[in-house]
Amino acid sequence: MTDTLTTITGIIESRSYDGIDLINKVDAFYNNAWGKLIIFGTIVFTLVGLIVPWSIQRYQNKLLKLSEESLKKDIKDQTDKIKGEIFDELSKKVEEKIKEYDVKIDELKAEMNATAFHLQGNTFLEKGSYKNALGDFIIAARDYLKCNDYLNLQGVLSEISVCLSKLSIEEIEELKIINSDIGLLIEKLEEKNNNGALTQIIRDIKLEVQKASKRIKEKPQEE
């Protein structure tokens, strides 16, 4: 009986020892696994903490570079466009100024030419050379119109009337050869007679031309 109890007790103690040993082994396994998990997690988090920011920074730098290139292109396009618009505007302004200067130069030339022929015509008029005086006065009147010098125009038109009253239509027509056409002058006077200031003098000139058509050329005028 005593031997049996001893055997049973031994078996129980042996099994209890094996269970405790098994529990210890399981506990050691989990402790070891948990430690490895912590180490692995630490490594992973470390790598993620390094790689992710680096990847984000690289991506941002790439986007920034693309944005910078796009911005540079946009700036260049806008700059070229503005330069083109400025150039076109300046070209128009320069062209307008050139035209203005051309007009002023033409007016100055016309004024100088009118003054010269007016003075020369006065010299012929003083000598009684009405045909030559008329030729110069017609040219002077035409140029006074070009430079809008209506004050001197009025004076030379009055002198034209005086010359016409002394000449025949034949003598007046002969002046066309030197580009002193009284008919063309009358047309230009009527074109510029917007405010009616030249109406009376135009009528006087037309009347003198009409009277000249009834005169007969008696002798050549002085040259």
Side-chain angles (χ1 to χ4, degrees), residues 3-19:
D3 292 335
T4 301
L5 289 174
T6 301
T7 301
I8 292 172
T9 301
I11 292 171
I12 291 172
E13 289 178 354
S14 177
R15 289 183 178 179
S16 295
Y17 176 79
D18 291 339

Side-chain angles (χ1 to χ4, degrees), residues 6-55:
T6 301
T7 301
I8 292 172
T9 301
I11 292 171
I12 291 172
E13 289 178 354
S14 177
R15 289 183 178 179
S16 295
Y17 176 79
D18 291 339
I20 291 170
D21 184 55
L22 179 61
I23 290 171
N24 288 333
K25 287 182 179 180
V26 170
D27 183 63
F29 172 77
Y30 279 108
N31 286 334
N32 186 38
W34 178 252
K36 290 180 179 180
L37 180 61
I38 290 174
I39 293 172
F40 178 75
T42 302
I43 294 172
V44 170
F45 281 119
T46 301
L47 290 175
V48 170
L50 293 174
I51 294 174
V52 172
W54 177 80
S55 299

